[in-house]
PDB file of all heavy atoms in Angstrom:
ATOM      1  N   PHE Q  30     -16.145  79.784 -57.287  1.00 92.00           N
ATOM      2  CA  PHE Q  30     -16.717  80.506 -58.404  1.00 92.00           C
ATOM      3  C   PHE Q  30     -18.239  80.395 -58.367  1.00 92.00           C
ATOM      4  O   PHE Q  30     -18.919  81.400 -58.569  1.00 92.00           O
ATOM      5  CB  PHE Q  30     -16.193  79.982 -59.721  1.00 92.00           C
ATOM      6  CG  PHE Q  30     -16.729  80.730 -60.944  1.00 92.00           C
ATOM      7  CD1 PHE Q  30     -15.960  81.723 -61.558  1.00 92.00           C
ATOM      8  CD2 PHE Q  30     -18.020  80.484 -61.466  1.00 92.00           C
ATOM      9  CE1 PHE Q  30     -16.385  82.420 -62.620  1.00 92.00           C
ATOM     10  CE2 PHE Q  30     -18.448  81.192 -62.583  1.00 92.00           C
ATOM     11  CZ  PHE Q  30     -17.682  82.180 -63.112  1.00 92.00           C
ATOM     12  N   THR Q  31     -18.700  79.213 -58.119  1.00 94.00           N
ATOM     13  CA  THR Q  31     -20.181  79.051 -58.057  1.00 94.00           C
ATOM     14  C   THR Q  31     -20.797  79.905 -56.930  1.00 94.00           C
ATOM     15  O   THR Q  31     -21.857  80.569 -57.134  1.00 94.00           O
ATOM     16  CB  THR Q  31     -20.541  77.526 -57.822  1.00 94.00           C
ATOM     17  OG1 THR Q  31     -19.993  76.772 -58.856  1.00 94.00           O
ATOM     18  CG2 THR Q  31     -22.036  77.362 -57.719  1.00 94.00           C
ATOM     19  N   LEU Q  32     -20.145  79.919 -55.774  1.00 91.00           N
ATOM     20  CA  LEU Q  32     -20.685  80.723 -54.670  1.00 91.00           C
ATOM     21  C   LEU Q  32     -20.619  82.223 -55.003  1.00 91.00           C
ATOM     22  O   LEU Q  32     -21.536  82.951 -54.691  1.00 91.00           O
ATOM     23  CB  LEU Q  32     -19.878  80.455 -53.423  1.00 91.00           C
ATOM     24  CG  LEU Q  32     -20.033  79.018 -52.795  1.00 91.00           C
ATOM     25  CD1 LEU Q  32     -19.083  78.828 -51.644  1.00 91.00           C
ATOM     26  CD2 LEU Q  32     -21.426  78.735 -52.400  1.00 91.00           C
ATOM     27  N   GLY Q  33     -19.494  82.620 -55.606  1.00 91.00           N
ATOM     28  CA  GLY Q  33     -19.350  84.032 -56.011  1.00 91.00           C
ATOM     29  C   GLY Q  33     -20.350  84.423 -57.048  1.00 91.00           C
ATOM     30  O   GLY Q  33     -21.004  85.509 -56.942  1.00 91.00           O
ATOM     31  N   ALA Q  34     -20.579  83.611 -58.042  1.00 93.00           N
ATOM     32  CA  ALA Q  34     -21.528  83.920 -59.136  1.00 93.00           C
ATOM     33  C   ALA Q  34     -22.975  83.911 -58.635  1.00 93.00           C
ATOM     34  O   ALA Q  34     -23.826  84.614 -59.158  1.00 93.00           O
ATOM     35  CB  ALA Q  34     -21.333  82.940 -60.269  1.00 93.00           C
ATOM     36  N   ALA Q  35     -23.291  83.040 -57.658  1.00 93.00           N
ATOM     37  CA  ALA Q  35     -24.623  82.915 -57.178  1.00 93.00           C
ATOM     38  C   ALA Q  35     -25.056  84.203 -56.483  1.00 93.00           C
ATOM     39  O   ALA Q  35     -26.296  84.535 -56.407  1.00 93.00           O
ATOM     40  CB  ALA Q  35     -24.771  81.737 -56.211  1.00 93.00           C
ATOM     41  N   ALA Q  36     -24.146  84.980 -55.915  1.00 91.00           N
ATOM     42  CA  ALA Q  36     -24.506  86.147 -55.129  1.00 91.00           C
ATOM     43  C   ALA Q  36     -25.151  87.213 -56.013  1.00 91.00           C
ATOM     44  O   ALA Q  36     -26.283  87.676 -55.763  1.00 91.00           O
ATOM     45  CB  ALA Q  36     -23.245  86.726 -54.436  1.00 91.00           C
ATOM     46  N   PRO Q  37     -24.495  87.715 -57.144  1.00 93.00           N
ATOM     47  CA  PRO Q  37     -25.204  88.714 -57.963  1.00 93.00           C
ATOM     48  C   PRO Q  37     -26.379  88.104 -58.717  1.00 93.00           C
ATOM     49  O   PRO Q  37     -27.310  88.845 -59.026  1.00 93.00           O
ATOM     50  CB  PRO Q  37     -24.077  89.105 -58.950  1.00 93.00           C
ATOM     51  CG  PRO Q  37     -23.072  87.987 -58.948  1.00 93.00           C
ATOM     52  CD  PRO Q  37     -23.117  87.456 -57.539  1.00 93.00           C
ATOM     53  N   LEU Q  38     -26.337  86.813 -59.003  1.00 93.00           N
ATOM     54  CA  LEU Q  38     -27.491  86.171 -59.715  1.00 93.00           C
ATOM     55  C   LEU Q  38     -28.723  86.216 -58.815  1.00 93.00           C
ATOM     56  O   LEU Q  38     -29.830  86.429 -59.302  1.00 93.00           O
ATOM     57  CB  LEU Q  38     -27.114  84.754 -60.051  1.00 93.00           C
ATOM     58  CG  LEU Q  38     -28.189  83.950 -60.839  1.00 93.00           C
ATOM     59  CD1 LEU Q  38     -28.524  84.678 -62.134  1.00 93.00           C
ATOM     60  CD2 LEU Q  38     -27.665  82.528 -61.106  1.00 93.00           C
ATOM     61  N   LEU Q  39     -28.547  86.009 -57.536  1.00 93.00           N
ATOM     62  CA  LEU Q  39     -29.691  86.063 -56.595  1.00 93.00           C
ATOM     63  C   LEU Q  39     -30.243  87.465 -56.514  1.00 93.00           C
ATOM     64  O   LEU Q  39     -31.483  87.604 -56.436  1.00 93.00           O
ATOM     65  CB  LEU Q  39     -29.250  85.602 -55.189  1.00 93.00           C
ATOM     66  CG  LEU Q  39     -30.309  85.591 -54.113  1.00 93.00           C
ATOM     67  CD1 LEU Q  39     -31.445  84.658 -54.465  1.00 93.00           C
ATOM     68  CD2 LEU Q  39     -29.706  85.219 -52.762  1.00 93.00           C
ATOM     69  N   VAL Q  40     -29.364  88.454 -56.503  1.00 93.00           N
ATOM     70  CA  VAL Q  40     -29.894  89.830 -56.513  1.00 93.00           C
ATOM     71  C   VAL Q  40     -30.640  90.134 -57.782  1.00 93.00           C
ATOM     72  O   VAL Q  40     -31.703  90.777 -57.731  1.00 93.00           O
ATOM     73  CB  VAL Q  40     -28.669  90.838 -56.342  1.00 93.00           C
ATOM     74  CG1 VAL Q  40     -29.143  92.232 -56.497  1.00 93.00           C
ATOM     75  CG2 VAL Q  40     -27.959  90.629 -55.001  1.00 93.00           C
ATOM     76  N   ALA Q  41     -30.159  89.674 -58.906  1.00 92.00           N
ATOM     77  CA  ALA Q  41     -30.849  89.909 -60.160  1.00 92.00           C
ATOM     78  C   ALA Q  41     -32.216  89.215 -60.161  1.00 92.00           C
ATOM     79  O   ALA Q  41     -33.168  89.706 -60.839  1.00 92.00           O
ATOM     80  CB  ALA Q  41     -30.009  89.442 -61.336  1.00 92.00           C
ATOM     81  N   LEU Q  42     -32.303  88.111 -59.485  1.00 91.00           N
ATOM     82  CA  LEU Q  42     -33.534  87.337 -59.475  1.00 91.00           C
ATOM     83  C   LEU Q  42     -34.631  88.067 -58.684  1.00 91.00           C
ATOM     84  O   LEU Q  42     -35.797  88.057 -59.075  1.00 91.00           O
ATOM     85  CB  LEU Q  42     -33.280  85.967 -58.856  1.00 91.00           C
ATOM     86  CG  LEU Q  42     -34.462  85.059 -58.652  1.00 91.00           C
ATOM     87  CD1 LEU Q  42     -35.024  84.636 -60.043  1.00 91.00           C
ATOM     88  CD2 LEU Q  42     -34.091  83.791 -57.888  1.00 91.00           C
ATOM     89  N   ILE Q  43     -34.280  88.735 -57.592  1.00 92.00           N
ATOM     90  CA  ILE Q  43     -35.287  89.339 -56.757  1.00 92.00           C
ATOM     91  C   ILE Q  43     -35.477  90.826 -56.999  1.00 92.00           C
ATOM     92  O   ILE Q  43     -36.471  91.378 -56.591  1.00 92.00           O
ATOM     93  CB  ILE Q  43     -34.917  89.144 -55.281  1.00 92.00           C
ATOM     94  CG1 ILE Q  43     -33.582  89.849 -54.922  1.00 92.00           C
ATOM     95  CG2 ILE Q  43     -34.834  87.645 -54.904  1.00 92.00           C
ATOM     96  CD1 ILE Q  43     -33.195  89.681 -53.417  1.00 92.00           C
ATOM     97  N   ALA Q  44     -34.539  91.434 -57.752  1.00 92.00           N
ATOM     98  CA  ALA Q  44     -34.688  92.901 -57.972  1.00 92.00           C
ATOM     99  C   ALA Q  44     -35.648  93.147 -59.097  1.00 92.00           C
ATOM    100  O   ALA Q  44     -35.769  92.366 -60.052  1.00 92.00           O
ATOM    101  CB  ALA Q  44     -33.314  93.479 -58.363  1.00 92.00           C
ATOM    102  N   PRO Q  45     -36.394  94.313 -59.044  1.00 92.00           N
ATOM    103  CA  PRO Q  45     -37.269  94.658 -60.181  1.00 92.00           C
ATOM    104  C   PRO Q  45     -36.412  94.881 -61.429  1.00 92.00           C
ATOM    105  O   PRO Q  45     -35.216  95.224 -61.310  1.00 92.00           O
ATOM    106  CB  PRO Q  45     -37.901  95.982 -59.703  1.00 92.00           C
ATOM    107  CG  PRO Q  45     -37.755  95.974 -58.214  1.00 92.00           C
ATOM    108  CD  PRO Q  45     -36.494  95.219 -57.942  1.00 92.00           C
ATOM    109  N   VAL Q  46     -37.014  94.699 -62.610  1.00 89.00           N
ATOM    110  CA  VAL Q  46     -36.285  94.830 -63.844  1.00 89.00           C
ATOM    111  C   VAL Q  46     -35.595  96.184 -63.934  1.00 89.00           C
ATOM    112  O   VAL Q  46     -34.432  96.254 -64.339  1.00 89.00           O
ATOM    113  CB  VAL Q  46     -37.229  94.611 -65.054  1.00 89.00           C
ATOM    114  CG1 VAL Q  46     -36.522  94.918 -66.386  1.00 89.00           C
ATOM    115  CG2 VAL Q  46     -37.802  93.238 -65.061  1.00 89.00           C
ATOM    116  N   SER Q  47     -36.302  97.214 -63.549  1.00 87.00           N
ATOM    117  CA  SER Q  47     -35.717  98.594 -63.717  1.00 87.00           C
ATOM    118  C   SER Q  47     -34.598  98.843 -62.699  1.00 87.00           C
ATOM    119  O   SER Q  47     -33.800  99.794 -62.925  1.00 87.00           O
ATOM    120  CB  SER Q  47     -36.839  99.631 -63.442  1.00 87.00           C
ATOM    121  OG  SER Q  47     -37.377  99.481 -62.117  1.00 87.00           O
ATOM    122  N   ALA Q  48     -34.409  98.006 -61.717  1.00 91.00           N
ATOM    123  CA  ALA Q  48     -33.402  98.224 -60.717  1.00 91.00           C
ATOM    124  C   ALA Q  48     -32.298  97.197 -60.747  1.00 91.00           C
ATOM    125  O   ALA Q  48     -31.415  97.183 -59.870  1.00 91.00           O
ATOM    126  CB  ALA Q  48     -34.019  98.220 -59.276  1.00 91.00           C
ATOM    127  N   ILE Q  49     -32.285  96.303 -61.772  1.00 91.00           N
ATOM    128  CA  ILE Q  49     -31.304  95.230 -61.770  1.00 91.00           C
ATOM    129  C   ILE Q  49     -29.890  95.814 -61.899  1.00 91.00           C
ATOM    130  O   ILE Q  49     -29.013  95.384 -61.147  1.00 91.00           O
ATOM    131  CB  ILE Q  49     -31.569  94.289 -62.966  1.00 91.00           C
ATOM    132  CG1 ILE Q  49     -32.826  93.437 -62.715  1.00 91.00           C
ATOM    133  CG2 ILE Q  49     -30.369  93.407 -63.242  1.00 91.00           C
ATOM    134  CD1 ILE Q  49     -33.192  92.487 -63.863  1.00 91.00           C
ATOM    135  N   VAL Q  50     -29.671  96.745 -62.801  1.00 90.00           N
ATOM    136  CA  VAL Q  50     -28.306  97.299 -62.934  1.00 90.00           C
ATOM    137  C   VAL Q  50     -27.783  97.865 -61.685  1.00 90.00           C
ATOM    138  O   VAL Q  50     -26.664  97.487 -61.208  1.00 90.00           O
ATOM    139  CB  VAL Q  50     -28.280  98.302 -64.111  1.00 90.00           C
ATOM    140  CG1 VAL Q  50     -26.898  99.016 -64.175  1.00 90.00           C
ATOM    141  CG2 VAL Q  50     -28.551  97.603 -65.431  1.00 90.00           C
ATOM    142  N   PRO Q  51     -28.428  98.857 -61.036  1.00 92.00           N
ATOM    143  CA  PRO Q  51     -27.861  99.458 -59.841  1.00 92.00           C
ATOM    144  C   PRO Q  51     -27.799  98.463 -58.662  1.00 92.00           C
ATOM    145  O   PRO Q  51     -26.817  98.462 -57.904  1.00 92.00           O
ATOM    146  CB  PRO Q  51     -28.766 100.602 -59.489  1.00 92.00           C
ATOM    147  CG  PRO Q  51     -30.048 100.339 -60.203  1.00 92.00           C
ATOM    148  CD  PRO Q  51     -29.655  99.604 -61.458  1.00 92.00           C
ATOM    149  N   ALA Q  52     -28.808  97.598 -58.541  1.00 93.00           N
ATOM    150  CA  ALA Q  52     -28.823  96.647 -57.479  1.00 93.00           C
ATOM    151  C   ALA Q  52     -27.666  95.637 -57.520  1.00 93.00           C
ATOM    152  O   ALA Q  52     -26.976  95.391 -56.574  1.00 93.00           O
ATOM    153  CB  ALA Q  52     -30.142  95.861 -57.459  1.00 93.00           C
ATOM    154  N   VAL Q  53     -27.437  95.070 -58.748  1.00 93.00           N
ATOM    155  CA  VAL Q  53     -26.353  94.122 -58.915  1.00 93.00           C
ATOM    156  C   VAL Q  53     -25.006  94.836 -58.786  1.00 93.00           C
ATOM    157  O   VAL Q  53     -24.079  94.277 -58.180  1.00 93.00           O
ATOM    158  CB  VAL Q  53     -26.448  93.441 -60.301  1.00 93.00           C
ATOM    159  CG1 VAL Q  53     -25.217  92.601 -60.597  1.00 93.00           C
ATOM    160  CG2 VAL Q  53     -27.684  92.556 -60.364  1.00 93.00           C
ATOM    161  N   PHE Q  54     -24.916  96.047 -59.290  1.00 91.00           N
ATOM    162  CA  PHE Q  54     -23.641  96.785 -59.202  1.00 91.00           C
ATOM    163  C   PHE Q  54     -23.242  96.996 -57.737  1.00 91.00           C
ATOM    164  O   PHE Q  54     -22.130  96.691 -57.324  1.00 91.00           O
ATOM    165  CB  PHE Q  54     -23.807  98.148 -59.898  1.00 91.00           C
ATOM    166  CG  PHE Q  54     -22.525  98.878 -60.183  1.00 91.00           C
ATOM    167  CD1 PHE Q  54     -21.893  98.766 -61.405  1.00 91.00           C
ATOM    168  CD2 PHE Q  54     -21.940  99.605 -59.190  1.00 91.00           C
ATOM    169  CE1 PHE Q  54     -20.715  99.430 -61.664  1.00 91.00           C
ATOM    170  CE2 PHE Q  54     -20.719 100.287 -59.437  1.00 91.00           C
ATOM    171  CZ  PHE Q  54     -20.115 100.205 -60.691  1.00 91.00           C
ATOM    172  N   VAL Q  55     -24.189  97.520 -56.968  1.00 93.00           N
ATOM    173  CA  VAL Q  55     -23.941  97.797 -55.523  1.00 93.00           C
ATOM    174  C   VAL Q  55     -23.604  96.480 -54.787  1.00 93.00           C
ATOM    175  O   VAL Q  55     -22.697  96.381 -53.945  1.00 93.00           O
ATOM    176  CB  VAL Q  55     -25.043  98.607 -54.908  1.00 93.00           C
ATOM    177  CG1 VAL Q  55     -24.817  98.694 -53.372  1.00 93.00           C
ATOM    178  CG2 VAL Q  55     -25.161  99.966 -55.520  1.00 93.00           C
TER     179      VAL Q  55
END
């Protein structure tokens, strides 16, 4: 679970605020 959760969290961390939704979704 930790490994799975860390993946979208890392994307949210590095993505611009305006792109968090599509970046995390994809």
Side-chain angles (χ1 to χ4, degrees):
F30 182 97
T31 300
L32 294 175
L38 183 58
L39 179 62
V40 173
L42 177 65
I43 63 178
V46 173
S47 60
I49 289 179
V50 172
V53 171
F54 194 96
V55 172

